[in-house]
């Protein structure tokens, strides 16, 4: 079992690595896709990687909800993994709403209204 210092170190390393993965994913996707798809994929991956959950009842420490849900589904079935799947679904839906709002209000290119009229040259 981990003592409190090593647990906090492990959590910090995991969160740092997850943030680096999401930033690299955003940088790679930004060059290939538009801002909407980049935001959807990057924020979804951040939600999946960074959502915490308790591994089982009576445990004081938390683990990534995606890992907890995967192990619970594979070992005990879907019903035992619902305590980890609920926060994942909520955070994923929040990430999608945030991505769409960011795209609508920050990253979307606005049209300039009427097209610029070019002057007619007469000979």
């Amino acid at each position: 079992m981990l003592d409190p210092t090593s647990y906090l170190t492990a959590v910090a390393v995991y969160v740092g690595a997850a943030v680096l993965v999401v930033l690299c994913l955003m940088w790679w996707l930004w060059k290939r896709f538009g801002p909407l798809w980049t935001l959807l994929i990057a924020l979804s991956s951040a939600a999946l990687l960074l959502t915490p959950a308790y591994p089982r009842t009576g445990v004081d420490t938390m683990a990534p909800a995606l890992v907890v849900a995967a192990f619970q589904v594979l070992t005990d079935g879907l019903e035992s993994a619902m305590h980890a799947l609920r926060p994942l679904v909520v955070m994923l839906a929040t990430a999608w709403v945030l991505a769409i709002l960011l795209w609508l209000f920050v990253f979307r290119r606005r049209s300039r209204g009427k097209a610029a009229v070019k002057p007619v040259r007469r000979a």
Side-chain angles (χ1 to χ4, degrees), residues 7-9 13 22 26 32 47 50 64 68-70 82 93 109 114 119:
Y7 173 73
L8 289 176
T9 303
V13 167
V22 170
M26 282 185 70
R32 286 156 182 78
L50 296 173
V68 172
M82 290 308 289
R109 292 188 182 131
K114 297 180 180 178

Side-chain angles (χ1 to χ4, degrees), residues 4 7 20 29-30 32 45 52 54 85 87-89 99 114-115 122:
Y7 173 73
L20 283 176
L29 289 173
W30 196 266
R32 286 156 182 78
S45 64
Y54 290 108
L85 289 173
L88 276 175
V89 169
K114 297 180 180 178
R122 296 184 188 222

Side-chain angles (χ1 to χ4, degrees), residues 7-26:
Y7 173 73
L8 289 176
T9 303
V11 168
V13 167
Y14 178 80
V15 169
V19 168
L20 283 176
V21 165
V22 170
L23 289 175
C24 289
L25 184 65
M26 282 185 70

Side-chain angles (χ1 to χ4, degrees), residues 29-53:
L29 289 173
W30 196 266
K31 293 182 174 189
R32 286 156 182 78
F33 301 107
L36 177 63
W37 288 107
T38 300
L39 289 169
L40 280 172
I41 294 170
L43 291 177
S44 296
S45 64
L48 291 174
L49 289 173
L50 296 173
T51 302

